Amino acid sequence: NLLAKKEVVAAHLKKLITTVLPQTGAKRLLSIASLTNQTFTNFVSGQLTEAVIIGVLCFLGMLILRIPYAVSAFVAVTALVPIFGAWLGGGLGTFLILLAEPIKAVWFIVYLLILQQVEGNLIYPKVVGKSVGLPGLLVLMAVTIGGGAFGVLGMLFSVPVCAVLYSLYLEF
């Protein structure tokens, strides 16, 4: 219900902020809130794009290797978790393939290792970094530091938080 009325809630919050804070402070706070909203929206868009890319690449590899490719959809969904999500999907996929065809499970692991190196070092930093306006190196640093400090939630939120802080730094 809150999402359905988010415009009304946002309008009331804006009115409250402009009433309580001095004009310059209110303007600055609303500017930061707008930047944060846009950055998180772009981050989700980048994550979805990256998950589709990894899912398609996994599907193509499995098609070439003649491995049951339904697992690639699972890999794509779990890829929504930055960096290690596709590993989780790949691990469960490997287990399922192992039950049916053990030799193909080995080939899947080899392919997934290669795919994860390409995804983690090239695709993710470029796609997600571009979507939030961060250089690829800062994306990798944000995920590493966020994951180390706050676990999975740190991995999920570190990139957009870093992007907001980076934008504010550039403004300053």
Side-chain angles (χ1 to χ4, degrees):
N1 194 17
L2 181 65
L3 287 178
K5 302 211 181 231
K6 74 177 187 173
E7 288 84 14
V8 174
V9 172
H12 285 296
L13 281 174
K14 184 176 180 181
K15 200 177 285 186
L16 176 69
I17 289 169
T18 55
T19 304
V20 172
L21 295 176
Q23 185 178 4
T24 56
K27 187 176 179 181
R28 184 68 181 142
L29 182 59
L30 291 173
S31 170
I32 292 171
S34 175
L35 171 68
T36 303
N37 181 43
Q38 189 59 47
T39 301
F40 271 82
T41 301
N42 292 346
F43 173 71
V44 170
S45 171
Q47 280 292 110
L48 290 172
T49 302
E50 190 268 339
V52 168
I53 291 169
I54 195 84
V56 167
L57 290 175
C58 189
F59 173 80
L60 292 174
M62 295 177 84
L63 196 63
I64 291 167
L65 295 172
R66 298 179 196 273
I67 298 172
Y69 36 83
V71 174
S72 61
F74 190 65
V75 171
V77 170
T78 57
L80 290 172
V81 177
I83 307 299
F84 88 96
W87 285 109
L88 176 65
L92 291 172
T94 301
F95 177 72
L96 293 174
I97 296 168
L98 185 64
L99 293 175
E101 301 179 61
I103 298 298
K104 288 188 177 183
V106 173
W107 284 111
F108 177 68
I109 291 171
V110 170
Y111 178 70
L112 196 63
L113 285 170
I114 294 167
L115 184 61
Q116 280 302 104
Q117 290 304 309
V118 171
E119 187 261 346
N121 294 312
L122 296 174
I123 298 170
Y124 186 82
K126 292 244 188 265
V127 171
V128 176
K130 186 176 182 182
S131 72
V132 295
L134 269 182
L137 182 61
L138 283 181
V139 171
L140 287 174
M141 286 174 54
V143 171
T144 303
I145 293 169
F150 302 106
V152 175
L153 284 178
M155 292 177 113
L156 285 171
F157 293 109
S158 61
V159 173
V161 168
C162 183
V164 168
L165 294 174
Y166 184 71
S167 294
L168 292 173
Y169 168 76
L170 291 178
E171 269 182 40
F172 180 71

